[in-house]
C-alpha cells in the first residue's frame, strides 16, 4: 500500500511536466484544452434547463459534463504533446527505431536498432516482421539511402524468398510523417499467421544487426520538459 501511495505523486508530476512542456511549445494547446473542458460542462448546464429538468437531473448532467470535459481535455493534451515530441525527434538518427520500439504491439517483431547503416551519413535501414510480412523502413534522403535499402532487400529475399517485403521511407523527401509510421504499417494487408511471423523472424536473425555509432533515439511517449533558461 505504501509503495502504491508513493507512485501517485510521480504520475501527477509527470502529467504536470507534460502540460508545461506542451503549453510552452504550442500556444494553441491551452485554449483548445479549455474549450474541450468547458464545452461539455456548459452544454450539460444549458440542456437540462431548456428541457425543464429537476435539480437532481441537472446535477447529474453537470457531473457527466465535467467527466466528459476532463476526458476530452486529456485527449487534446495527449495529442498535442505527442505531436511536439515527434517534431523534436524527427530527422534525428535513431528516431525511426524509437518509434518502432514503442509504437508497435501485438504480433510485430522489431528492434530500435537498425539492420544496416551508413556510418558516414548515418542513414539507416530498420526491419519489422508482422502479419503483413517483412517491412523495411529507410531513414534518410531517398536517393542517398536507395543503395543501402536495395542491398537489404536482396538479403531478405535470399533468406525468405516467399514472404512479402514492404518498403516504407522516412526522410526529408518522404511523404510519410514519422508520427504516422506505425499507423501506416498496421494498415498493410495481412498475409502471415502468428506462427509464420515467429518463424520468419527467427530465420532473419541469421542476418544479425549492426552496432551503431549513432544514438538509439528518443522515446516519444516519455516527453520531458527542457530546463528553464
Amino acid at each position: 500500500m505504501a509503495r502504491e501511495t508513493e507512485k501517485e505523486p510521480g504520475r501527477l508530476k509527470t502529467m504536470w511536466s507534460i502540460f508545461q512542456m506542451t503549453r510552452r511549445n504550442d500556444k494553441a494547446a491551452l485554449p483548445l484544452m479549455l474549450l474541450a473542458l468547458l464545452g461539455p460542462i456548459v452544454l450539460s448546464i444549458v440542456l437540462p434547463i431548456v428541457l425543464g429538468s429537476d435539480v437532481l437531473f441537472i446535477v447529474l448532467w453537470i457531473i457527466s459534463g465535467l467527466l466528459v470535459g476532463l476526458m476530452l481535455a486529456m485527449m487534446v493534451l495527449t495529442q498535442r504533446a505527442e505531436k511536439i515530441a515527434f517534431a523534436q525527434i524527427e530527422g534525428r538518427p535513431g528516431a525511426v527505431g524509437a518509434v518502432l520500439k514503442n509504437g508497435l504491439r501485438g504480433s510485430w517483431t522489431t528492434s530500435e536498432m537498425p539492420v544496416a547503416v551508413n556510418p558516414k551519413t548515418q542513414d539507416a535501414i530498420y526491419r519489422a516482421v508482422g502479419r503483413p510480412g517483412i517491412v523495411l523502413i529507410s531513414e534518410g534522403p531517398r536517393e542517398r539511402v536507395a543503395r543501402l535499402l536495395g542491398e537489404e532487400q536482396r538479403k531478405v529475399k535470399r533468406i525468405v524468398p516467399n514472404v512479402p517485403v514492404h518498403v516504407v521511407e522516412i526522410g526529408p523527401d518522404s511523404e510519410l510523417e514519422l508520427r504516422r509510421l506505425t499507423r501506416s504499417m498496421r494498415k498493410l494487408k495481412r498475409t502471415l499467421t502468428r506462427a509464420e511471423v515467429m518463424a520468419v523472424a527467427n530465420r532473419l536473425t541469421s542476418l544479425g544487426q549492426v552496432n551503431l555509432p549513432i544514438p538509439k533515439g528518443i522515446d516519444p511517449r516519455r516527453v520531458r520538459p527542457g530546463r528553464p533558461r
Side-chain angles (χ1 to χ4, degrees):
M1 292 296 292
R3 291 181 179 178
E4 292 179 0
T5 306
E6 291 175 0
K7 291 181 180 179
E8 192 63 29
R11 296 192 189 100
L12 294 175
K13 186 177 180 180
T14 300
M15 290 303 300
W16 177 250
S17 298
I18 292 175
F19 169 73
Q20 293 285 66
M21 180 275 299
T22 306
R23 184 174 60 85
R24 283 198 303 267
N25 293 277
D26 186 355
K27 301 300 181 184
L30 183 57
L32 289 174
M33 288 183 64
L34 289 175
L35 181 62
L37 174 63
L38 298 177
I41 296 176
V42 172
L43 191 63
S44 66
I45 295 174
V46 173
L47 278 180
I49 294 176
V50 172
L51 296 175
S53 305
D54 56 28
V55 176
L56 179 60
F57 198 68
I58 292 175
V59 171
L60 292 176
W61 267 81
I62 294 175
I63 294 174
S64 300
L66 176 62
L67 294 176
V68 172
L70 288 172
M71 182 185 67
L72 291 178
M74 290 302 298
M75 289 175 63
V76 170
L77 174 61
T78 301
Q79 184 182 34
R80 308 297 288 196
E82 185 180 73
K83 185 177 180 181
I84 293 171
F86 276 108
Q88 290 176 345
I89 68 172
E90 193 160 10
R92 295 177 57 181
V96 168
V99 173
L100 290 177
K101 180 183 178 183
N102 298 282
L104 286 178
R105 295 292 184 269
S107 60
W108 286 95
T109 300
T110 186
S111 171
E112 65 178 321
M113 300 298 289
V115 293
V117 65
N118 185 328
K120 293 183 178 180
T121 62
Q122 295 190 342
D123 297 333
I125 306 297
Y126 295 83
R127 185 178 66 225
V129 182
R131 298 289 299 277
I134 302 166
V135 183
L136 298 178
I137 306 99
S138 64
E139 184 180 68
R142 182 175 300 169
E143 292 185 4
R144 203 170 66 190
V145 79
R147 181 178 177 181
L148 199 64
L149 180 60
E151 291 175 354
E152 191 60 30
Q153 283 180 282
R154 287 191 290 272
K155 290 179 183 178
V156 168
K157 289 179 179 179
R158 186 172 64 250
I159 300 296
V160 280
N162 299 321
V163 179
V165 179
H166 307 273
V167 173
V168 179
E169 297 174 328
I170 296 293
D173 50 1
S174 171
E175 297 180 358
L176 182 64
E177 298 180 33
L178 179 64
R179 63 192 181 97
R180 301 186 184 278
L181 171 60
T182 55
R183 187 184 307 174
S184 67
M185 292 172 61
R186 285 192 289 266
K187 289 181 178 180
L188 295 172
K189 184 179 178 180
R190 298 182 178 185
T191 57
L192 303 180
T193 65
R194 291 180 180 272
E196 289 172 336
V197 170
M198 293 301 299
V200 171
N202 291 335
R203 287 286 300 275
L204 289 175
T205 54
S206 62
L207 292 178
Q209 291 178 333
V210 296
N211 294 321
L212 276 186
I214 61 177
K216 293 183 179 180
I218 301 174
D219 185 347
R221 298 179 183 273
R222 297 181 181 177
V223 187
R224 294 183 180 178
R227 295 181 180 178
R229 297 181 179 179

